[in-house]
Amino acid sequence: MAETEAALRTLAHNVRAARTRAGLSLDELGRRAKVSKGALVGLEKAQGNPNFATLVRLADTLGISVSALMEGPVEGRVRVVAADDVTPLWAGEKGGEARLMLTTTGAAPVEVWRWKLEPGEEYPSHPHQAGVVETVSVTAGRMVLVVDGVEHAVEAGQTATFDGDAPHAYRGAGGGTCHLIMTVHLPPGPGSTA
């Protein structure tokens, strides 16, 4: 319970700080991210339990990574993160999950995700900000990547990449669990020299 409260406090601080840096009011951030002002007020007070889609919309609107909303200060030069140490940000109805393992630092951060999709299980994603590029590498099983309504089969040992500013979805396929590593390449933030 204490870990959850600490995570909510970190999230609240990071959302408020990013909103302030962006010069956005609660009303304007809510309008742009399609999140109610009440939910934002609660979030900035470390109350509530925002879902994964809300975090993605906030991060996209603020021009930062999801993990930038969730992580405390970076400690040390090397970070080693075990999957079991990271809480899933999405849990599917059939047992699938998505875990944001880490986000690199720098002008154009990269998020590294571990996904598990059961056959027939799907996660639909809204379009991200322009300049976001996603890469999926299937390590076991099969999946269907849907981009702009077009389906693409991706099997173990294959990697696919696409511009994330189009509607897209990930669906488990075949008879077994699909495991994949997804990277989300974010465009350089405001004021970067990259």
Side-chain angles (χ1 to χ4, degrees):
M1 188 66 145
E3 287 180 15
T4 301
E5 290 173 6
L8 279 174
R9 283 192 304 275
T10 298
L11 177 62
H13 173 269
N14 292 344
V15 168
R16 188 172 37 257
R19 179 178 63 78
T20 301
R21 276 192 310 273
L24 298 175
S25 67
L26 285 166
D27 287 325
E28 185 61 16
L29 177 58
R31 186 186 67 73
R32 290 183 187 184
K34 297 181 177 76
V35 176
S36 74
K37 181 179 178 181
L40 286 174
V41 168
L43 185 64
E44 288 193 5
K45 290 182 177 180
Q47 300 169 348
N49 187 14
N51 65 29
F52 178 51
T54 298
L55 293 176
V56 171
R57 286 194 309 271
L58 286 171
D60 279 348
T61 301
L62 293 166
I64 60 176
S65 67
V66 172
S67 63
L69 291 177
M70 302 176 60
E71 291 180 344
V74 176
E75 299 175 15
R77 292 182 67 152
V78 176
R79 287 184 289 163
V80 177
V81 181
D84 292 342
D85 293 341
V86 178
T87 303
L89 290 178
W90 172 78
E93 294 179 2
K94 298 180 180 181
E97 61 184 27
R99 295 174 190 254
L100 176 55
M101 300 303 296
L102 60 86
T103 300
T104 63
T105 58
V110 177
E111 297 176 347
V112 180
W113 294 79
R114 292 178 70 107
W115 282 77
K116 178 173 79 168
L117 294 167
E118 296 301 329
E121 192 168 47
E122 182 170 304
Y123 177 78
S125 179
H126 75 288
H128 300 296
Q129 63 179 312
V132 171
V133 175
E134 292 193 20
T135 301
V136 293
S137 296
V138 175
T139 60
R142 294 178 21 202
M143 71 171 289
V144 173
L145 172 65
V146 183
V147 179
D148 252 346
V150 178
E151 296 186 355
H152 306 271
V154 187
E155 300 186 13
Q158 293 182 324
T159 299
T161 189
F162 62 97
D163 292 333
D165 60 354
H168 53 282
Y170 323 102
R171 182 182 329 125
T177 303
C178 175
H179 293 272
L180 62 107
I181 302 295
M182 177 177 69
T183 57
V184 179
H185 304 259
L186 303 166
S192 70
T193 56

